[in-house]
Amino acid sequence: MRKPGQMKAFDALYAIAAGGGRKEALFGSSYDLARPAYERTLIGSGYPTAYLEFPLLGEPCFDLLSVHGGMEPGSRFAPGAGFGYQTMFNWFAGVCQQYGTLGCGIELDTSTGETERAGVYLQQREHHELVQPFLESVGEAERARDYLDMLGRMPKGWPPAYVGLFPGRPGTPMRIGGYMSHDELARCKDDPAHLEACFQAIGFTDFDDAMLERCTEFMRLVPAIDFQFDILPNGRLGNTFGLSLSFNDTMPREAKVCMESGYGATLMRTLQGWGLVDDRWKLIADAAFAKHVGYEREDGTEGRFALCIRFNYAKVKFRAREPQPAKFYLTCAAGDVEAS
């Protein structure tokens, strides 16, 4: 067989994720908008990772984040593609070789029907010096000071690792997220007062005792935590706090056990008890998938190509201290398997 193209790989991954009745229960009709929008995020020859974000309560739908983990210099979008972000990817291609593991992507609110304006995403990890040129590349240079101000307030164990925003959208916040260290997670989950002290240091004040208790209970259920804050255009923190309950240590072959009798099931039953999810979560386990297939390279040798759907995380956002309906993220990845 020939190696699948970018769109064929995306179609195959979605078909797997949406099989077994999951399209109707989890995704609704969003794919009709997401497919042509995803095609407009393609640049270069690589296979961007697609993250499907869908609610676990309410109308089935999903939003799409398309993330490139690398970029060849000189890569250009096809005419009409790219959502106006060619300059961003010119910059990204210029830093990939030097910095290694980074991510740069385009976010689409397909759940709302918005496919003409797109957000941007940078996973800079510990390379905070990249945030300013990234923001400059999308015309949001003035936001860099807000990021640096917040960076200076973050406690040990709360390192920012990614940034996202919708450039040019009036009033849109800049989202700052990161991966809490294991030591800090251990302290927070056992001591709501410590979590409160961290919030105070960061400058986040929209919490109460009930929210602290609920956050620490979430933290006790899962092996790893992501966090998110919003910085408003005036530089102040918004009234939302995102708590992402990571499944990144769960391999596809472990997904069913995780969601039937492991920490995933415990987490989801807890969220269901709080009215933040309904029964649709029970369908997620069968979406996980991993397979290598052989293909013939142009020189006649055999290559190996991988398709993979992994759990990413479940997210609960607190807005004005109240938890909102939970969402779940699936990671859909494709690409060549490097020879060992």
Side-chain angles (χ1 to χ4, degrees):
M1 63 168 282
R2 295 289 185 184
K3 182 169 72 171
Q6 294 163 313
M7 288 306 299
K8 187 173 181 180
F10 179 65
D11 288 338
L13 287 165
Y14 177 76
I16 294 165
R22 291 183 292 276
K23 175 184 183 296
E24 295 77 13
L26 304 180
F27 304 136
S29 61
S30 292
Y31 192 67
D32 296 338
L33 293 174
R35 188 185 189 278
Y38 174 83
E39 188 168 18
R40 293 172 63 188
T41 73
L42 299 177
I43 181 173
S45 60
Y47 294 78
T49 300
Y51 296 87
L52 308 184
E53 174 193 358
F54 52 95
L56 296 178
L57 193 68
E59 187 73 21
C61 59
F62 71 87
D63 290 326
L64 174 67
L65 174 63
S66 175
V67 178
H68 294 264
M71 187 66 54
E72 306 96 332
S75 297
R76 298 200 60 83
F77 286 106
F83 298 92
Y85 294 128
Q86 182 66 58
T87 299
M88 179 180 77
F89 280 105
N90 290 345
W91 167 80
F92 181 62
V95 299
C96 283
Q97 294 298 317
Q98 179 181 354
Y99 285 92
T101 305
L102 301 172
C104 190
I106 294 177
E107 183 176 359
L108 297 145
D109 286 349
T110 44
S111 64
T112 66
E114 175 60 80
T115 59
E116 291 308 311
R117 300 182 68 180
V120 293
Y121 168 90
L122 175 70
Q123 186 181 52
Q124 79 279 3
R125 297 189 181 273
E126 72 275 13
H127 302 298
H128 305 293
E129 70 276 14
L130 295 179
V131 172
Q132 181 165 343
F134 163 71
L135 292 172
E136 290 173 353
S137 75
V138 295
E140 297 281 354
E142 69 281 0
R143 300 257 192 160
R145 181 181 296 276
D146 295 336
Y147 176 85
L148 294 174
D149 287 346
M150 186 171 184
L151 177 63
R153 298 193 303 269
M154 298 304 288
K156 183 178 179 181
W158 292 69
Y162 55 90
V163 179
L165 75 161
F166 273 77
R169 180 184 289 181
T172 185
M174 177 170 61
R175 180 150 298 164
I176 306 296
Y179 316 117
M180 187 178 291
S181 73
H182 290 293
D183 290 345
E184 186 64 11
L185 174 57
R187 292 189 67 185
C188 286
K189 70 182 182 181
D190 291 333
D191 185 4
H194 178 71
L195 179 59
E196 178 179 7
C198 291
F199 280 160
Q200 296 285 8
I202 292 166
F204 180 73
T205 58
D206 279 288
F207 63 89
D208 56 17
D209 289 344
M211 177 178 159
L212 291 171
E213 290 289 345
R214 194 162 275 183
C215 286
T216 54
E217 183 168 355
F218 288 172
M219 292 176 175
R220 288 192 290 271
L221 296 176
V222 295
I225 290 290
D226 294 10
F227 59 85
Q228 292 182 348
F229 295 94
D230 287 346
I231 304 179
L232 302 176
N234 62 8
R236 299 176 62 87
L237 287 181
N239 67 350
T240 62
F241 172 64
L243 192 61
S244 299
L245 313 169
S246 177
F247 288 84
N248 282 334
D249 291 338
T250 302
M251 297 293 106
R253 64 179 178 275
E254 302 165 339
K256 200 168 186 65
V257 171
C258 178
M259 295 299 278
E260 289 183 350
S261 59
Y263 66 84
T266 303
L267 167 64
M268 290 300 165
R269 291 185 181 117
T270 299
L271 297 178
Q272 194 161 18
W274 289 339
L276 304 182
V277 308
D278 60 23
D279 275 342
R280 75 188 71 177
W281 69 266
K282 296 176 182 179
L283 297 175
I284 296 173
D286 289 330
F289 178 86
K291 186 176 182 179
H292 293 180
V293 294
Y295 72 91
E296 183 181 353
R297 297 191 181 103
E298 291 184 2
D299 63 3
T301 61
E302 184 185 44
R304 302 294 294 175
F305 190 83
L307 294 171
C308 181
I309 302 175
R310 293 183 58 173
F311 295 170
N312 190 350
Y313 53 79
K315 181 170 118 178
V316 174
K317 180 184 289 186
F318 292 84
R319 181 178 292 117
R321 309 176 185 182
E322 292 298 319
Q324 306 301 302
K327 295 183 177 182
F328 202 90
Y329 290 68
L330 290 175
T331 302
C332 301
D336 282 296
V337 180
E338 298 295 333
S340 59

